[in-house]
Amino acid sequence: MTPRAADRARYDRATAHLDAPLAVVDLEAFDANADDMVRRAAGKPIRVASKSVRCRALLERVLARPGFAGIMSFTLAESLWLARAGFEDVLLAYPSADRAGFAELTSDPKLAGAVTVMVDDPAQLDLVDRAREREGLEVRVCLELDTSLQLFGGRVRVGARRSPLRTPAQLAELARAVARRPGFRLVGLMAYEGHVAGVGDAVAGSPLRSRAIRLMQSAARKELAARRAEVVRAVRTVVPDLEFVNGGGTGSVQHTAAEAAVTEIAAGSGLYVPRLFDNYTSFSGRPAALFAQPVVRRPGVGVVTVLGGGYPASGAPGADRLPVPYLPEGLRYDGQEGAGEVQTPLLGSAADDLLIGDKVWFRHAKAGELCERFAQLSLVEGDRVTATVPTYRGEGQTFL
């Protein structure tokens, strides 16, 4: 029996009393992935990216482990919800235009002390001030550095379009604006190198593309390490007691941790290890989050149809954004239908061994987005479900 076949047998036994569709998290794999992230961080704390987890119980589980500290959230509403739930260090990774959220943040000392907001433009400070309902509470602020690699005088850009702030002078200027402004306190700096941390460099069947990605990422790491160090020095001339400098991501943990200017790493997808994180030379993890769909039809030889399953991930559309049939091994999509809203035909010799009601296990493309499809996660230990916990959706929270 192959390791994957053994996992399928375990998951089928563990969930024999449960009907699909359902989602599981293998806690042994989840904990092993967490340990590997800590090893790669080499002593620097890891701030957990909540968008990649989207389950309070699992956020609490990983934050209870040595090497993890704080949350990186994705909306202001989520940040406030987590802070009200008792999480004491929440960094909002994106600027917000949530006026009601800012009014709540600036009216509650507990929330104001727990949540740090992201800023890359003075207009964002104006928005907070217009929403204030109570004077005197300081809003904790983090500045974001653009990490994109720009070549040929900026005519070629590699990386996400995020912050407009690239140079030490630009960051220092905004740092001075925050420092001068009543009601705000600059506490951190963030730089997320998604083109390094979130892009696999070992694309199956594409050796030339893989080599090109590795060359790009090597150049990007060198350029960013030098620029980030200069930016940190410039900002610290304005705010010497800066609390943190955040960087990284699952795919670049060890590289970013090696930079002296960085004080903490952000990562989250490496806990679940979705399919987009299979193609890395920098690390290998164990798939921990899966979902199962039931076989509901057998249209012919070598074909079964499962209920639903069309759960594409965000990002540029493409086959890599689809879930992948994982267990049993040897199943593939029908090119004419793909992963469907209400049904998904699957082809392959393995289909002939599946009966009506059997489970087919899938891996989602992007970590926490799976939790937008399921209200709960069944936590598997060995061949038993030992707990069932709600996702954000299961708690009635849909932040984006």
Side-chain angles (χ1 to χ4, degrees), residues 63-364:
L63 285 170
R65 302 178 69 85
F68 291 86
I71 288 177
M72 177 176 281
S73 59
F74 59 98
T75 71
L76 181 56
E78 181 211 15
S79 305
L80 299 173
W81 179 67
L82 290 172
R84 287 194 300 270
F87 294 94
E88 297 179 348
D89 180 6
V90 183
L91 169 62
L92 174 57
Y94 307 88
S96 177
D98 181 352
R99 290 173 294 180
F102 284 131
E104 184 177 355
L105 176 70
T106 56
S107 65
D108 187 325
K110 176 186 174 183
L111 298 179
V115 175
T116 301
V117 303
M118 191 63 60
V119 170
D120 59 30
D121 190 308
Q124 295 153 353
L125 302 176
D126 296 338
L127 194 151
V128 176
D129 273 338
R130 289 196 297 270
R132 284 184 189 272
E133 292 189 353
R134 175 176 172 178
E135 297 299 327
L137 284 184
E138 281 191 326
V139 174
R140 292 168 55 84
V141 170
C142 178
L143 305 184
E144 181 172 4
L145 165 68
D146 172 52
T147 67
S148 64
L149 176 64
Q150 297 192 6
L151 305 171
F152 306 109
R155 293 190 296 276
V156 175
R157 175 193 181 99
V158 181
R161 295 184 182 275
R162 293 179 61 110
S163 171
L165 306 175
R166 284 190 58 81
T167 68
Q170 289 173 324
L171 271 294
E173 180 181 0
L174 187 52
R176 283 189 289 271
V178 175
R180 288 194 300 261
R181 192 152 178 164
F184 296 93
R185 180 158 62 95
L186 180 57
V187 299
L189 179 68
M190 185 190 83
Y192 171 58
E193 54 268 35
H195 49 301
V196 177
V199 177
D201 62 349
V203 184
S206 301
L208 294 180
R209 182 184 174 195
S210 298
R211 177 166 173 75
I213 291 172
R214 286 194 289 274
L215 289 172
M216 176 276 292
Q217 290 180 339
S218 176
R221 285 197 302 268
K222 292 176 183 176
E223 186 276 336
L224 178 59
R227 183 158 54 90
R228 179 156 41 199
E230 293 175 2
V231 165
V232 171
R233 284 194 294 271
V235 172
R236 286 195 184 277
T237 63
V238 181
V239 184
D241 58 346
L242 204 66
E243 293 179 14
F244 64 85
V245 176
N246 181 282
T250 287
S252 67
V253 170
Q254 66 269 43
H255 300 297
T256 309
E259 294 183 33
V262 174
T263 67
E264 64 174 38
I265 308 300
S269 295
L271 296 168
Y272 288 166
V273 187
R275 64 167 297 196
L276 282 176
F277 284 83
D278 285 347
N279 303 320
Y280 284 77
T281 57
S282 61
F283 84 105
S284 61
R286 294 171 54 184
L290 302 95
F291 68 95
Q293 303 295 114
V295 174
V296 293
R297 286 178 172 158
R298 291 172 50 87
V301 175
V303 186
V304 293
T305 302
V306 300
L307 182 70
Y311 305 155
S314 61
D320 64 340
R321 302 290 148 165
L322 295 178
V324 60
Y326 185 60
L327 303 171
E329 299 178 67
L331 295 174
R332 66 184 187 279
Y333 291 123
D334 182 331
Q336 296 186 55
E337 294 194 50
E341 177 188 8
V342 291
Q343 73 161 37
T344 297
L346 297 170
L347 312 180
S349 59
D352 293 329
D353 295 325
L354 291 168
L355 305 176
I356 300 295
D358 282 352
K359 296 181 176 78
V360 174
W361 295 91
F362 292 77
R363 293 176 63 202
H364 197 253

Side-chain angles (χ1 to χ4, degrees), residues 367-396:
E369 292 184 20
L370 172 64
C371 294
E372 298 299 334
R373 300 288 183 170
F374 292 90
Q376 60 188 30
L377 299 172
S378 296
L379 306 184
V380 174
E381 296 184 73
D383 60 0
R384 295 187 304 120
V385 171
T386 56
T388 300
V389 296
T391 61
Y392 281 10
R393 173 177 172 174
E395 296 199 66

Side-chain angles (χ1 to χ4, degrees), residues 1-12 26 286 326-327:
M1 182 180 291
T2 67
R4 279 174 58 176
D7 282 341
R8 180 197 175 199
R10 283 198 304 115
Y11 300 144
D12 282 347
D26 185 329
R286 294 171 54 184
Y326 185 60
L327 303 171

